[in-house]
């Protein structure tokens, strides 16, 4: 490796140059999938690549251009204007006219282009002068104008799975030409796991972390072989790697602590354990599912809004993603912890289920059965039914709608925090 190339960051040196080196996104690149089919025909459509940082949007765009036999012309929406677009289009038109070679115009962070800049692109995408490939971390439905969006295929890229991130790290450790393979380094398994856990599917962050950790290990090494440890990873990240085994006892301990803290109305402890899980690599949607369950199981009708808060936080996270998605999560966790508590939804269901299992499918009273035919009427269906809305308070005192065998049963016992009163029956 030349001296000049060592000045380039490891993440840049290890950027895949072909689809064989590209890791992840099998839902787009696997056999018969949209991109593999397009490349087999050498006909690449205009695309919007939507995905989180470090998932390979720029690299994929470059590889697609190469595989399609096109010129790759990159622009950054942060520092490019209409003039840059016109220059790129002019060069693309010259290539098409003289060499019949297509041009992939890659616009990084395309959501930062204003309407005028996006409008300047539109006719050239429409007439095929350029194949537009835009990359964005934001929802293109909101950030890219509809006219341009309608002429592009939007593809959603996913964060790299742990196994894929491991492949990226291992490849960098083994590659002697572009990676760290020519250096006397050993990556401890715990340190490898720490990088994967801390980088949340972001290959660029993982490689940058690995490179800094390798330098840290070499600086303190007194022998021939430098071992990269978890301490080196923490030094590279400038933060502690949280111990949290998503599949083991630690997982269940922290989840239990989170739920019991909310149940005990301790917003501080609930937030602490939620952050523990997030920093340890837990799936945020798992945490949100637990909050939705909690809103019914431990709050219920003591505060019916709690369920809406938990659901809104879940939907907000799906829309925003990380890192900002932790804010609606925190808002919901604090709300649930501070809300009045009642477990009547749980106890009511359990009591009713007990009778269902013990007594089986008992027949409802005939008075509340439908009577769609004369035969049903002769059998007594609907006879004697009193329509509650014809009575004062929209309630018929003394009526019981349970099967005769369970008459008088009480499953629902409102908690003292529940504000919805239960109508009083004659036998109560």
């Amino acid at each position: 490796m030349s001296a000049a190339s060592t000045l380039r960051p490891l993440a840049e040196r290890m950027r895949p140059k072909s689809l064989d080196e590209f890791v992840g996104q099998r839902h787009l690149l696997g056999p018969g999938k949209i991109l593999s089919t397009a490349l087999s025909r050498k006909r690449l459509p205009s695309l919007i690549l939507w995905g989180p940082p470090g998932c390979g949007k720029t690299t994929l765009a470059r590889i697609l251009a190469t595989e399609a036999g096109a010129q790759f012309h990159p622009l950054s929406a942060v520092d490019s204007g209409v003039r840059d677009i016109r220059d790129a289009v002019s060069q693309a038109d010259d290539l098409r006219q003289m060499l019949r070679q297509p041009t992939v115009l890659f616009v990084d962070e395309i959501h930062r282009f204003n309407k005028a800049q996006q409008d300047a692109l539109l006719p050239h995408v429409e007439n095929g002068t350029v194949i537009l490939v835009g990359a964005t971390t934001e929802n293109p439905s909101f950030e890219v104008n509809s006219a341009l969006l309608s002429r592009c295929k939007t593809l959603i890229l996913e964060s790299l799975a742990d196994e894929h991130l491991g492949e990226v790290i291992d490849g960098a450790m083994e590659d002697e030409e572009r990676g760290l393979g020519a250096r006397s380094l050993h990556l401890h398994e715990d340190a490898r796991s720490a990088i994967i856990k801390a980088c949340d599917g972001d290959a660029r962050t993982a490689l940058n972390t690995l490179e800094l950790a390798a330098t840290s290990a070499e600086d303190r090494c007194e022998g021939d072989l430098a071992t990269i440890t978890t301490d080196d990873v923490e030094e590279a990240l400038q933060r502690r790697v949280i111990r949290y085994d998503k599949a083991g006892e630690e997982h269940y301990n922290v989840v239990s602590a989170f739920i019991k803290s909310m149940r005990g109305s301790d917003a501080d402890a609930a937030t602490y354990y939620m952050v523990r899980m997030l920093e340890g690599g837990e799936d945020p949607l798992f945490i949100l599912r637990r909050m939705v369950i909690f809103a019914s199981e431990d709050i219920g009708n003591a505060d019916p809004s709690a369920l809406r808060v938990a659901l809104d936080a879940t939907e907000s996270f799906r829309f925003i993603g990380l890192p900002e998605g932790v804010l609606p999560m925190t808002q919901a966790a604090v709300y649930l912890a501070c809300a009045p508590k009642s477990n009547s939804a749980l106890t009511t269901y359990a009591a009713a289920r007990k009778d269902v299992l013990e007594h089986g499918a008992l027949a409802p009273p005939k008075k509340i059965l439908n009577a769609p035919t004369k035969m049903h009427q002769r059998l007594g269906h609907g006879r004697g039914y009193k329509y509650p809305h014809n009575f004062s308070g929209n309630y018929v005192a003394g009526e019981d709608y349970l099967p005769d065998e369970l008459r008088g049963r009480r499953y629902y016992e409102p908690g003292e925090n529940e504000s919805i009163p239960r109508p009083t029956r004659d036998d109560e």
Side-chain angles (χ1 to χ4, degrees), residues 8-25:
R8 296 163 59 216
L10 178 63
E12 182 61 29
R13 300 200 307 269
M14 290 302 299
R15 188 183 291 276
K17 297 179 178 179
S18 68
L19 286 177
D20 290 338
E21 294 182 3
F22 193 83
V23 175
Q25 315 308 334

Side-chain angles (χ1 to χ4, degrees), residues 115-175:
K115 186 178 186 300
Q117 291 167 314
Q118 293 186 33
D119 286 344
L121 273 173
L122 185 59
H124 310 295
V125 174
E126 196 166 35
N127 65 24
T129 302
V130 295
I131 300 168
L132 174 64
V133 178
T136 179
T137 56
E138 305 293 331
N139 188 331
S141 299
F142 298 104
E143 306 296 340
V144 180
N145 72 46
S146 57
L148 187 57
L149 197 61
S150 68
R151 289 159 176 82
C152 302
K153 179 70 176 176
T154 299
L155 303 181
I156 300 175
L157 278 69
E158 301 169 347
S159 295
L160 295 186
D162 288 357
E163 61 184 280
H164 293 143
L165 212 53
E167 288 181 41
V168 171
I169 293 168
D170 294 342
M173 287 297 299
E174 296 166 4
D175 193 314

Side-chain angles (χ1 to χ4, degrees), residues 61 74 100 106 114 119 144 192 203 209 211 223 228 230 263 266 288 303 321 363 380 389 425:
R100 302 185 65 81
F106 174 70
N114 60 33
D119 286 344
V144 180
R192 179 180 182 273
T209 302
E211 186 170 33
I228 303 171
T230 303
R263 185 177 294 146
D266 190 334
L288 285 159
D303 182 357
H389 296 289
R425 299 170 50 139

Side-chain angles (χ1 to χ4, degrees), residues 272-308:
Y272 169 80
Y273 291 118
M274 185 187 76
V275 174
R276 275 270 301 273
M277 289 187 281
L278 288 169
E279 291 297 317
E282 183 59 80
D283 180 0
L285 289 174
F286 167 80
I287 301 172
L288 285 159
R289 282 192 292 272
R290 298 308 310 176
M291 286 198 273
V292 172
I293 295 168
F294 180 90
S296 283
E297 180 178 345
D298 287 277
I299 298 174
N301 288 329
D303 182 357
S305 298
L307 183 57
R308 187 66 262 168

Side-chain angles (χ1 to χ4, degrees), residues 81-94:
V82 172
R83 182 175 178 177
D84 298 293
I85 295 172
R86 288 173 180 160
D87 289 344
V89 169
S90 177
Q91 294 176 38
D93 193 43
D94 289 343

